[in-house]
Amino acid sequence: EVQLVESGGGLVQPGRSLKLSCAASGFTFSNYYMAWVRQAPKKGLEWVATISTSGSRTYYPDSVKGRFTISRDNAKSSLYLQMNSLKSEDTATYYCARLNYGDFDYWGQGVMVTVSS
Amino acid sequence: EIVLTQSPTTMAASPGEKVTLTCRASSSVSYMHWYQQRSGASPKLWIYETSKLASGVPNRFSGSGSGTSYSLTINSMETEDAATYYCQQGSSYPWTFGGGTKLELK
C-alpha cells in the first residue's frame, strides 16, 4: 500500500524558514518523480514543486521560485521542501504527492503551515 | 501559464441525476486530469489522461475532451459523489489546477 506521511509543519513568523518532510513507503521511491502541492484555507489547489527521480531536475512556479527548494533522499525514501523567506500567503496545507505522467496519483494526508506574527 | 476555468463553481444534483462538469483551458493541453476532494480529506486522483478512471472509481464516472475543452460526467448521481472536483493539466509548466466545482446533493 502506497503511503505518504508529511511532517514538519507549524506556526512560523514571516521571513523565517521551515522544512517539510515526507516519508514514503509501499513503492520503489527512487523510480518516481515527486511533488508538493498546497491548498490555502478554503481555497483551491496549487502546484508548488516537482523533482525528478535522481533529484537532478527541479521545477517551481514563479510564486515560490527562489524561496522554496525541493529535494529527496532516495536511500531514505524521503522527500523534502525547504521553505525560506516565508510570507503570509504561503499559509496552507502542504501535500506530498507521487507523480505518474503529469498527474498526482497518490497524496499524503497533508501538513499545515501557518505564517503569522 | 495555462489557466483552467471550471464551471459551474457550485451545483446541486439529485440522486440518479446526470451531472456534467466542465474545464476549459486557456491554451491547448494534451490531457486533463481530475481529482475528487471530500470535505476535510486529501485530494484523490479520479480520472487521468482525460478518460481513464483511477483505481476504485465507479464506472458511472467518465471523462472526455480534447484541446481546450474537457468534461467529467456522472451518469447517475449518488450520495457519495458529493465533493469538490478539480481539473489539472500537466502538459506544460507551470502545472495548474482549475478553481474547482463543488458538487452538492440536492
Side-chain angles (χ1 to χ4, degrees):
Chain A
E1 179 195 4
V2 172
Q3 283 199 318
L4 299 169
V5 180
E6 302 94 338
S7 60
L11 174 64
V12 61
Q13 293 178 328
R16 302 299 290 263
S17 299
L18 198 64
K19 187 173 185 177
L20 305 182
S21 300
C22 171
S25 61
F27 65 103
T28 304
F29 181 74
S30 59
N31 286 352
Y32 288 85
Y33 276 50
M34 297 294 295
W36 291 94
V37 177
R38 69 183 180 184
Q39 185 170 35
K42 306 286 189 190
K43 299 293 185 182
L45 301 168
E46 181 187 15
W47 165 70
V48 170
T50 292
I51 189 167
S52 63
T53 51
S54 66
S56 61
R57 285 170 290 180
T58 57
Y59 308 86
Y60 308 92
D62 287 346
S63 58
V64 307
K65 194 176 295 182
R67 299 189 300 122
F68 289 12
T69 302
I70 187 172
S71 61
R72 65 191 297 161
D73 185 336
N74 286 341
K76 294 183 177 179
S77 295
S78 293
L79 179 72
Y80 306 100
L81 184 68
Q82 176 68 48
M83 304 184 292
N84 298 333
S85 303
L86 281 161
K87 307 174 181 180
S88 58
E89 52 262 43
D90 296 319
T91 293
T93 296
Y94 285 74
Y95 296 100
C96 166
R98 191 179 83 167
L99 272 162
N100 188 18
Y101 292 105
D103 61 276
F104 308 98
D105 65 349
Y106 286 94
W107 297 63
Q109 85 287 352
V111 62
M112 184 68 200
V113 173
T114 302
V115 184
S116 175
S117 54
Chain B
E1 172 175 326
I2 296 177
V3 176
L4 302 181
T5 303
Q6 291 188 241
S7 60
T9 304
T10 306
M11 70 172 294
S14 302
E17 185 177 344
K18 184 174 183 177
V19 173
T20 299
L21 313 182
T22 65
C23 178
R24 297 197 189 281
S26 60
S27 299
S28 182
V29 298
S30 302
Y31 294 109
M32 193 64 71
H33 314 296
W34 295 86
Y35 302 85
Q36 182 197 69
Q37 186 177 33
R38 294 198 176 110
S39 181
S42 302
K44 290 183 178 179
L45 179 65
W46 214 244
I47 294 175
Y48 65 102
E49 294 175 14
T50 302
S51 60
K52 299 175 182 177
L53 301 186
S55 177
V57 174
N59 60 13
R60 62 181 176 273
F61 284 86
S62 63
S64 64
S66 65
T68 61
S69 184
Y70 293 84
S71 63
L72 177 157
T73 299
I74 307 173
N75 218 28
S76 177
M77 175 77 179
E78 295 201 7
T79 304
E80 65 185 28
D81 301 336
T84 300
Y85 293 85
Y86 295 94
C87 58
Q88 176 251 329
Q89 65 83 18
S91 296
S92 69
Y93 286 107
W95 293 346
T96 49
F97 289 88
T101 292
K102 185 174 184 179
L103 175 60
E104 299 174 325
L105 191 66
K106 194 184 293 181

